[in-house]
Amino acid sequence: MNKPSNQVSWDTQQSNELYGVDNWANDFFSISENGHLHVHLHDEDQKTAVSLPDIVDGIRERGLDTPLLLRFHDLLADRIRNLNIAFNSAITQSGYQGCYRGVYPIKVNQQQQVIEEITQFGELYHYGLEAGSKPELLAALAYMHDPDAYIICNGYKDQEFIDLALQSTKMGLQIILVIEMPSELNLILERSVALGVRPMLGVRAKLSTCNNSHWSHSSGENSVFGLTTNQILNTVDTLRDHGMLNTLRLLHYHQGSQVPDIQSIRESATEASRIYTDLIHEGATMGLLDIGGGLGIDYDGSRSDSHSSRNYGIQEYAADIVEVVKTVCDEAQFNHPTIISESGRAVAAYYSVLIFNILDVNSPSADSIPNRIPEKPHPHTMKLSEVEGYLEEANLQECYNDAIYYREEILSLFRHGNVSLRERAYCNSLFTRIMTRIHEIADTMEQAPEALAEGNPFRDVYYGNFSLFQSLPDSWAINQLFPVMPIHRLNEEPTARATLADITCDCDGRIDQFIIKGEHQDHLPLHPLNDHENYFLGVFLVGAYQETLGDLHNLLGDTNVVSVGVKNGKVQYRRELAGDTIADVLSYVEYDTKNLVERFRSLAERSVEEGKITPSQRRQIMDSYRESIAGYTYYESPNT
């Protein structure tokens, strides 16, 4: 609901605290004095704060409308750099004798631009790639040519997959085939002999250690992929029998994505290190320990062990891993292995920001109460009206109870035909006004009645020009929380209490859980819309998974994408990828757009023959049909 705004008493620091920017932004975003949200990008050897609203205006002036996905390659580079700095610092401080090599799991965001930039930025650190399928391996082989970086091959592998990996090994690439199922080993050995290539092999272990993340089912002994301890030993024996035990170089384990608790990470690393040293005891060459993914992102800024956060930072994560591996290997008197991590979410999440405009607002407070009470009102209607008259703090609970009671009675009367639609509408508006006033009073009380603790249930619905299912599927599928906030007007008090709805015709296309002042809330503070002025919201940390998991709900396709940098203090729009047209998405679901035009033309021509429209009207209708097919799948502003 909208509250009176006091512009003088509101400043950008209050907006910063309200939306928790300092908690989740990782120093990549900040609020300027004029109320704009800024992104911090590299301009030669220094960082420059660039206004997101100015970026959006520049893109729209160039002809691309919202919704927009902004990609910031500088943030991707920073995450790779920070991850390597953290591990290298931990290695130096602890006296660890091995080194660190990161690999990026392509599945986290398979977009070509992402893979190209990761291989470019990561070259300094010999940063590799992880491929979990044949298409991902083909992409990795095209972009990863660093002989000192690793390409880790996970997932199900057929003969063609294995042959590609082995042939590329012959060309000097460090490709490791990770055995995740017992049946893979014989095929790998067979193809190695046929191609005359000695492979680099790894085994994926099913650890007993689990965690409490959304993806805990992918860890532990009941996970789908990986080998049990018996299967690992059988693999060792088979390799020994074939004289190939020295090809076993790597132990891999995976805890699942977004592990919130550092203790689970330590326990898994300890168990895996024990398996690693025992494999050396068995005669395997080893040398590489792949700790998989799991490094979390603090989506909600709480730095806790909630599913949308993590109770550790990158430096603590790296230090704990290095300490555990060093301790176990020192006890066994073995050399320290190269530590490999497959941190995808932690690398890619900050990279992308979804920007969309608000199209409309549906506010319960906009339901005006009729000037006069309906003729011959039911006594319960009169009673509800009286509640508003005697409402005050001293009897707040009583008024709340009475309002609930009389509204339910009126609804029952309507269902039985004893109250008209107009009288029901009058009572609904009156009830909304009473409940709003009750919650406004409760907000000022030191100890409000328990029934009012959850706040006002009446929320404004802000309709955003986006598809939740296309751009934020994790929000719908697993209730993932993402930072959401306006990108401008942050020097004004946001007086509306809102939920967000997308433009799909699906009731699930909504966001109604947010992090406000570090707490989970069922509303997002937003500003009332101004006439003839766009209002833009940003959703942050969407670079991991959201681009690749999206679907075509209501045939709403990919958004426009723009890659942004800065040079000499000026914004550079380095890449522009137009979003899907209606023709594109129709072709995805097997429509032939030429056939669609012809079928519609037949309908229009028949209408001319029947005298329903004129030939010139037919031409206008056909032009509109063709123009629509070539247009953006989202709401298009009249001036774009």
Side-chain angles (χ1 to χ4, degrees):
M1 308 299 295
N2 290 342
K3 298 180 181 179
S5 175
N6 182 355
Q7 302 292 347
V8 176
S9 65
W10 193 264
D11 59 30
T12 56
Q13 182 56 35
Q14 288 172 284
S15 286
N16 186 69
E17 294 171 359
L18 183 69
Y19 299 112
V21 177
D22 286 346
N23 297 329
W24 57 261
N26 199 43
D27 295 329
F28 292 145
F29 300 94
S30 64
I31 301 174
S32 67
E33 291 184 0
N34 69 348
H36 284 193
L37 191 67
H38 281 200
V39 58
H40 297 189
L41 303 177
H42 291 282
D43 189 353
E44 300 298 335
D45 295 329
Q46 63 182 8
K47 278 200 171 185
T48 299
V50 182
S51 163
L52 285 181
D54 289 351
I55 290 173
V56 172
D57 287 345
I59 293 170
R60 297 181 78 238
E61 288 172 1
R62 287 163 171 79
L64 293 181
D65 206 353
T66 51
L68 288 166
L69 190 74
L70 302 181
R71 291 178 179 160
F72 299 108
H73 55 275
D74 286 354
L75 307 192
L76 192 66
D78 276 351
R79 295 300 288 176
I80 293 174
R81 184 183 303 111
N82 292 341
L83 187 60
N84 278 274
I85 288 173
F87 269 99
N88 291 334
S89 174
I91 285 170
T92 299
Q93 292 177 13
S94 66
Y96 192 84
Q97 297 303 305
C99 65
Y100 169 73
R101 289 284 187 271
V103 299
Y104 173 76
I106 297 176
K107 66 183 178 185
V108 174
N109 190 330
Q110 299 110 323
Q111 301 297 326
Q112 179 273 336
Q113 181 182 350
V114 180
I115 304 308
E116 179 181 7
E117 292 182 347
I118 281 178
T119 53
Q120 289 175 351
F121 301 146
E123 187 173 7
L124 175 64
Y125 306 102
H126 304 301
Y127 206 81
L129 296 172
E130 183 266 344
S133 67
K134 194 163 28 179
E136 290 183 355
L137 177 59
L138 289 169
L141 292 175
Y143 282 91
M144 179 51 63
H145 297 165
D146 180 358
D148 293 320
Y150 294 103
I151 297 178
I152 306 294
C153 295
N154 292 321
Y156 199 91
K157 308 168 191 67
D158 62 11
Q159 178 177 320
E160 191 172 24
F161 186 120
I162 293 168
D163 284 358
L164 277 170
L166 292 173
Q167 290 162 342
S168 300
T169 299
K170 188 180 292 187
M171 293 191 299
L173 296 180
Q174 296 205 66
I175 298 181
I176 300 175
L177 289 165
V178 179
I179 300 167
E180 305 205 20
M181 292 166 285
S183 60
E184 291 180 330
L185 178 57
N186 288 334
L187 181 57
I188 291 173
L189 293 177
E190 174 188 318
R191 299 310 302 164
S192 298
V193 172
L195 297 174
V197 181
R198 290 185 72 82
M200 292 179 65
L201 300 180
V203 289
R204 175 170 174 173
K206 289 185 179 182
L207 304 184
S208 62
T209 307
C210 293
N211 64 79
N212 63 343
S213 74
H214 273 301
W215 296 270
S216 58
H217 59 275
S218 64
S219 63
E221 294 177 319
N222 293 321
S223 61
V224 175
F225 285 104
L227 305 181
T228 65
T229 52
N230 286 344
Q231 291 169 335
I232 290 174
L233 291 175
N234 288 338
T235 299
V236 168
D237 292 340
T238 300
L239 289 172
R240 181 183 290 113
D241 291 344
H242 285 76
M244 300 277 281
L245 189 53
N246 62 352
T247 64
L248 182 54
R249 299 284 310 282
L250 174 143
L251 175 71
H252 169 53
Y253 69 94
H254 183 60
Q255 279 192 274
S257 185
Q258 184 66 18
V259 178
D261 184 21
I262 191 64
Q263 187 57 37
S264 297
I265 291 170
R266 288 185 63 92
E267 290 173 359
S268 293
T270 301
E271 183 180 356
S273 297
R274 298 293 181 192
I275 297 173
Y276 174 87
T277 55
D278 276 358
L279 287 174
I280 297 176
H281 276 299
E282 290 286 334
T285 303
M286 304 310 287
L288 305 171
L289 177 60
D290 185 345
I291 64 176
L295 174 56
I297 286 291
D298 197 358
Y299 288 97
D300 63 22
S302 65
R303 196 179 172 91
S304 68
D305 60 359
S306 76
H307 290 166
S308 294
S309 185
R310 41 93 181 118
N311 61 11
Y312 56 90
I314 288 183
Q315 189 61 61
E316 182 181 358
Y317 171 81
D320 283 10
I321 292 290
V322 169
E323 178 191 354
V324 166
V325 177
K326 179 178 185 296
T327 299
V328 173
C329 289
D330 285 349
E331 289 177 1
Q333 297 183 340
F334 289 134
N335 292 334
H336 303 159
T338 294
I339 296 174
I340 297 173
S341 76
E342 301 179 8
S343 299
R345 182 187 301 272
V347 168
Y350 290 94
Y351 178 57
S352 302
V353 177
L354 176 69
I355 305 291
F356 59 87
N357 57 306
I358 296 298
L359 301 172
D360 204 354
V361 177
N362 187 353
S363 174
S365 62
D367 288 342
S368 60
I369 298 178
N371 292 329
R372 53 192 175 85
I373 198 166
E375 293 183 9
K376 298 180 181 180
H378 192 278
H380 285 333
T381 300
M382 298 303 297
K383 289 290 187 182
L384 184 61
S385 181
E386 291 172 8
V387 171
E388 186 178 29
Y390 59 72
L391 172 60
E392 58 184 26
E393 182 176 323
N395 62 359
L396 205 62
Q397 181 71 66
E398 177 186 353
C399 291
Y400 175 83
N401 296 339
D402 289 349
I404 294 289
Y405 171 76
Y406 289 122
R407 180 174 184 269
E408 292 300 320
E409 288 296 305
I410 290 163
L411 290 175
S412 178
L413 289 167
F414 175 78
R415 286 190 288 266
H416 289 87
N418 297 320
V419 163
S420 70
L421 178 62
R422 188 169 294 278
E423 185 168 354
R424 172 184 167 174
Y426 174 87
C427 293
N428 281 347
S429 297
L430 182 58
F431 176 77
T432 299
R433 190 162 78 180
I434 290 170
M435 296 303 289
T436 298
R437 179 59 183 152
I438 285 174
H439 283 281
E440 286 176 349
I441 295 173
D443 287 343
T444 66
M445 298 171 61
E446 291 186 6
Q447 188 168 0
E450 185 176 349
L452 307 179
E454 294 184 0
N456 190 348
F458 298 103
R459 303 299 184 201
D460 297 339
V461 180
Y462 276 53
Y463 294 92
N465 187 18
F466 75 106
S467 166
L468 185 80
F469 308 98
Q470 174 61 241
S471 295
L472 300 171
D474 276 354
S475 178
W476 165 71
I478 59 173
N479 299 316
Q480 177 66 62
L481 291 175
F482 294 96
V484 185
M485 64 179 292
I487 64 170
H488 56 156
R489 296 178 62 184
L490 295 168
N491 53 353
E492 304 174 27
E493 182 179 2
T495 57
R497 300 295 177 260
T499 60
L500 299 178
D502 68 5
I503 60 172
T504 67
C505 60
D506 194 313
C507 291
D508 281 343
R510 61 185 292 154
I511 305 176
D512 56 11
Q513 292 296 314
F514 308 92
I515 298 297
I516 304 301
K517 290 187 175 181
E519 297 181 355
H520 289 218
Q521 299 285 350
D522 62 358
H523 69 275
L524 178 67
L526 294 176
H527 304 90
L529 300 189
N530 292 332
D531 291 340
H532 311 299
E533 180 180 300
N534 274 306
Y535 187 56
F536 294 108
L537 302 187
V539 187
F540 300 82
L541 305 182
V542 300
Y545 297 104
Q546 305 315 296
E547 290 188 62
T548 56
L549 293 179
D551 68 18
L552 293 175
H553 199 295
N554 284 139
L555 296 183
L556 294 168
D558 285 341
T559 67
N560 294 320
V561 180
V562 179
S563 180
V564 179
V566 63
K567 186 173 183 180
N568 298 325
K570 294 183 179 180
V571 175
Q572 291 193 320
Y573 302 96
R574 292 173 174 164
R575 291 194 187 184
E576 297 178 14
L577 300 173
D580 285 333
T581 64
I582 293 175
D584 291 332
V585 297
L586 287 172
S587 70
Y588 300 157
V589 287
E590 302 177 7
Y591 288 95
D592 182 333
T593 53
K594 290 183 179 179
N595 178 256
L596 290 176
V597 172
E598 177 58 27
R599 291 174 68 90
F600 187 74
R601 187 205 64 79
S602 297
L603 172 64
E605 181 60 27
R606 188 165 66 247
S607 297
V608 172
E609 294 170 356
E610 295 173 354
K612 296 177 180 177
I613 59 174
T614 66
S616 62
Q617 288 174 329
R618 195 205 88 157
R619 184 180 71 248
Q620 293 174 351
I621 292 170
M622 289 304 302
D623 286 347
S624 295
Y625 191 85
R626 293 189 187 95
E627 184 179 341
S628 293
I629 277 185
Y632 201 18
T633 61
Y634 294 92
Y635 181 90
E636 294 184 274
S637 301
N639 61 345
T640 58

